[in-house]
Amino acid sequence: MTRTHTVVLVEGLSDKAAVEALAGRRGRDLDAEGISLVAMGGATNIGTYIARFGPPGRDLRLAGLCDAGEVGAFQRALERAGLGSGLDRSDLEALGFFVCVADLEDELIRALGTAAVERVIDAGGELGSFHTLQKQPGWRERSTHDQLRRFMGSGSGRKIRYSGPLVAALDPDRVPRPLDALLAHL
């Protein structure tokens, strides 16, 4: 194994699986390149990981991916580590941190389209479960996009199980911008 020089901080295992899947599709071996992917177990843990791997700790190159709702936590942690002040999204990107509009699943659903996501779910043997969710009173009137996001988040391990197959189903020119930009940054 190559010595780690870059640590990519992502919120959870599904984000990690998506980055790994895209790297694999592009013929990249991140581990061999000295790039370590770390699923933090939630965005609120960002400060701990920056302290461990960033300037206060091992002083490795950092990058990451976060949901729009977690931008503030990332900004504050990066600022506390001395990596800037008054950081906005363009500053985050310059540091290697890319923001998903809502979350990575939302990005993947938009990039693929709902019909393609349903095909991936069907291949996973859960289309019937998805149709059951669609029939529930609280979800009947919602868009298929919203229903798919809820479905991904409602089953134990679904986000993790489907993130790789969703990335595999993407057309190469339809990779969500935050995921594409992160990999290009690395």
Side-chain angles (χ1 to χ4, degrees), residues 10 16 28 32 39 78 93 125 139 142 166 168 175:
V10 295
K16 182 180 180 201
R28 293 188 61 187
L78 290 164
E93 288 192 3
W139 290 97
R142 305 286 294 269
L166 290 173
V175 175

Side-chain angles (χ1 to χ4, degrees), residues 10-166:
V10 295
E11 292 185 34
L13 292 172
S14 62
D15 302 318
K16 182 180 180 201
V19 173
E20 289 169 337
L22 183 59
R25 279 190 67 180
R26 293 189 174 166
R28 293 188 61 187
D29 181 346
L30 298 179
D31 192 45
E33 294 177 37
I35 300 167
S36 178
L37 295 172
V38 176
M40 300 182 298
T44 58
N45 295 322
I46 183 71
T48 300
Y49 286 94
I50 288 177
R52 182 178 303 158
F53 297 115
R58 293 180 53 201
D59 202 19
L60 300 173
R61 178 177 177 236
L62 299 174
L65 193 65
C66 72
D67 300 344
E70 306 300 342
V71 167
F74 275 63
Q75 289 167 323
R76 287 186 298 279
L78 290 164
E79 289 173 3
R80 276 194 305 272
L83 295 171
S85 62
L87 300 174
D88 61 20
R89 284 199 189 184
S90 64
D91 296 325
L92 290 177
E93 288 192 3
L95 291 170
F97 289 85
F98 301 90
V99 181
C100 296
V101 170
D103 55 29
L104 188 54
E105 291 73 29
D106 174 62
E107 295 275 359
L108 291 169
I109 293 165
R110 276 189 292 106
L112 282 165
T114 58
V117 175
E118 286 187 59
R119 286 191 294 275
V120 170
I121 291 170
D122 189 23
E126 291 195 284
L127 192 58
S129 295
F130 174 62
H131 289 313
T132 298
L133 177 136
Q134 288 182 302
K135 294 174 189 171
Q136 293 175 359
W139 290 97
R140 274 187 221 140
E141 303 301 319
R142 305 286 294 269
S143 70
T144 304
H145 179 99
D146 289 345
Q147 292 167 344
L148 287 165
R149 280 194 65 220
R150 173 66 179 135
F151 181 76
M152 290 296 167
S154 66
S156 176
R158 263 193 199 125
K159 283 183 175 187
I160 299 164
R161 186 168 54 251
Y162 285 110
S163 61
L166 290 173

